[in-house]
Amino acid sequence: TKTSYYMEDSRSLLVQNVGIDVSKDTLDVVLSTMDISRQVKIKGSRKFANSGKGFREFVKWLESKRAKSCELRVLMEATGIYYEQFAWYLHEREYTVSVILPTKAKRYLQAIGNKSKNDKIDAKGLAKMGLEQNLPQWQPLSKNIYRLRLLTRQLEDFNNQRTVFLNQLHALEHSAYPVKEVERNLNKLIKELEKGIEKIDSAIEKLIKEDEKLSSRVDKIKQIKGVGIKTIAVLLAETNGFETFENQGQLVSYSGYDIVENQSGKHNGRTKMSKKGNAHIRRAMHLPAFGVVRYQEGPFKALYERLIAKGKTKMQAYVAVQRKLLILIWALWKKDQEYDPLYHINHLECSGNDE
């Protein structure tokens, strides 16, 4: 019978995996299985809304399609912030969820010969990848990480707006025909933003202080002179506590500090930073890079001076400092280790290509 055939078929399965291509509004889903002869089959595919209702419909659909006696995994890309709510939803319902960086998924899809690209093809590729590879399970660090992101991004918005209004005020002061009413309005807006900035600063410090796991590690990283709590908060918020990064290369690429070479045959173009990654991280690293050089933190001051001596511009040297500082913060966080100037000076000076 159909039922007995299904039972026999499910007993022959090794694993089943759901590949999910996540976008802002939709979830493209493909359920695939692998049997004991390593044959891969697609058992179903469907599109759901990336919303609470869509999540519930997905679970209902999946439970009607899956083989209950066989291991089930779920694989999705870390697509901006759009995957997080769904990943949390599945994690809280005890599904085995893996989340990978888009670059890793892209390399796999290219390796299996996928030349075309659309949401369904991506979901199908992820489903196959999840069957073939034993990927680490996604472990969200803390819901406070997501609260931090809301706070740090609003702080960034308020600071940007304040800068705009200050520039307008400066321009007005040098205007041939200044208008007092406009000046009063700008000053009022600036004061309101400064109050908001102060409140957000306090909320960030309070949130970290009240979370033991966050507070302990943040205090260890703050030992780097020039690195403050707000910088660390942004890095944690934008990387989910560095959870999805297996090595520093992935972090560097995600943050847009990876190097792009423009070279082919005899042509040797300009080598530059990609800047394709997370802009919030690069903005957060801007002032700390000045700080560690100003406070003469050994490896960073030496790196800056070495690059200037080689003819690099000040900005190029500071970007190299940002990159190295980011890697150090990541290493300290992953190892749950306090910054030790003597140890890390020697360690950093022997690591990697500074330029």
Side-chain angles (χ1 to χ4, degrees):
T1 66
K2 184 176 180 180
T3 304
S4 62
Y5 172 79
Y6 178 79
M7 289 175 65
E8 182 181 354
D9 183 56
S10 68
R11 285 194 296 269
S12 71
L13 295 180
L14 281 177
V15 66
Q16 51 194 336
N17 187 83
V18 185
I20 305 174
D21 185 80
V22 183
S23 67
K24 178 176 177 286
D25 298 314
T26 60
L27 307 167
D28 275 270
V29 173
V30 173
L31 172 63
S32 292
T33 62
M34 180 183 286
D35 62 24
I36 54 177
S37 63
R38 312 297 290 183
Q39 287 285 104
V40 174
K41 294 180 181 178
I42 295 176
K43 293 295 183 181
S45 62
R46 193 171 155 185
K47 189 188 290 281
F48 298 91
N50 191 354
S51 65
K53 183 181 178 183
F55 300 166
R56 292 190 294 274
E57 289 175 352
F58 164 78
V59 168
K60 186 177 179 181
W61 173 85
L62 178 60
E63 291 303 319
S64 71
K65 293 281 186 183
R66 64 172 291 191
K68 300 293 191 294
S69 59
C70 178
E71 180 188 4
L72 172 71
R73 303 172 188 163
V74 179
L75 176 61
M76 64 183 78
E77 284 184 32
T79 312
I81 62 171
Y82 300 123
Y83 78 94
E84 291 169 352
Q85 191 177 5
F86 189 39
W88 265 104
Y89 183 88
L90 296 177
H91 175 78
E92 288 173 341
R93 283 152 185 80
E94 299 185 348
Y95 286 96
T96 302
V97 180
S98 294
V99 178
I100 60 171
L101 293 169
T103 50
K104 189 169 184 177
K106 183 179 179 181
R107 284 195 296 269
Y108 175 81
L109 293 173
Q110 289 173 339
I112 62 174
N114 277 10
K115 295 181 180 179
S116 301
K117 179 175 173 60
N118 61 46
D119 295 341
K120 189 170 183 179
I121 289 173
D122 289 349
K124 185 178 176 181
L126 289 170
K128 190 169 188 289
M129 183 181 184
L131 293 173
E132 295 177 350
Q133 299 186 18
N134 187 22
L135 298 165
Q137 187 172 348
W138 182 72
Q139 293 291 346
L141 182 70
S142 164
K143 285 189 176 180
N144 281 339
I145 292 292
Y146 302 105
R147 296 186 179 106
L148 268 183
R149 180 180 292 139
L150 293 174
L151 288 168
T152 55
R153 288 200 175 178
Q154 187 172 68
L155 181 63
E156 184 180 310
D157 288 340
F158 279 16
N159 276 316
N160 289 340
Q161 290 177 47
R162 178 178 175 272
T163 299
V164 169
F165 293 144
L166 283 170
N167 289 339
Q168 290 177 6
L169 187 62
H170 180 74
L172 187 66
E173 289 170 354
H174 292 81
S175 172
Y177 303 101
V179 179
K180 289 295 181 184
E181 185 63 28
V182 174
E183 185 179 343
R184 280 195 294 270
N185 287 337
L186 286 172
N187 278 315
K188 184 178 179 181
L189 288 168
I190 290 167
K191 285 179 182 177
E192 287 300 316
L193 284 169
E194 286 174 345
K195 286 179 185 176
I197 289 168
E198 191 176 330
K199 287 179 180 178
I200 296 171
D201 283 342
S202 298
I204 289 171
E205 290 188 22
K206 184 172 183 286
L207 188 151
I208 289 175
K209 186 178 180 181
E210 290 177 353
D211 187 313
E212 272 186 41
K213 194 170 184 179
L214 289 178
S215 179
S216 170
R217 293 192 179 191
V218 168
D219 285 344
K220 291 171 182 174
I221 296 170
K222 277 168 57 185
Q223 302 305 312
I224 307 171
K225 290 180 182 178
V227 176
I229 192 169
K230 283 183 284 186
T231 298
I232 304 168
V234 171
L235 297 183
L236 296 179
E238 296 297 330
T239 62
N240 186 27
F242 299 108
E243 186 64 30
T244 54
F245 302 102
E246 298 167 8
N247 55 60
Q248 68 182 43
Q250 290 178 350
L251 173 63
V252 166
S253 177
Y254 178 80
S255 307
Y257 286 112
D258 50 327
I259 301 303
V260 177
E261 292 186 358
N262 182 12
Q263 187 174 347
S264 177
K266 293 182 179 180
H267 173 72
N268 190 8
R270 185 182 173 192
T271 299
K272 59 183 181 179
M273 191 174 74
S274 76
K275 294 188 180 180
K276 288 184 178 179
N278 189 302
H280 301 284
I281 292 176
R282 294 196 303 277
R283 277 193 284 270
M285 296 305 298
H286 184 73
L287 289 179
F290 290 119
V292 292
V293 172
R294 184 173 65 250
Y295 288 117
Q296 299 190 355
E297 285 284 6
F300 304 108
K301 176 72 171 174
L303 168 60
Y304 176 81
E305 291 176 345
R306 187 161 63 248
L307 293 178
I308 292 295
K310 286 183 177 181
K312 301 293 182 182
T313 66
K314 287 185 177 181
M315 188 50 64
Q316 287 174 324
Y318 276 120
V319 167
V321 170
Q322 290 176 35
R323 181 180 181 276
K324 183 156 283 200
L325 180 58
L326 175 64
I327 292 169
L328 171 62
I329 292 172
W330 166 78
L332 294 174
W333 180 269
K334 292 297 254 187
K335 295 176 181 178
D336 193 10
Q337 189 177 65
E338 186 170 333
Y339 174 65
D340 177 355
L342 295 178
Y343 169 77
H344 289 104
I345 283 171
N346 295 329
H347 180 72
L348 282 172
E349 286 180 344
C350 296
S351 65
N353 181 353
D354 295 334
E355 297 180 41

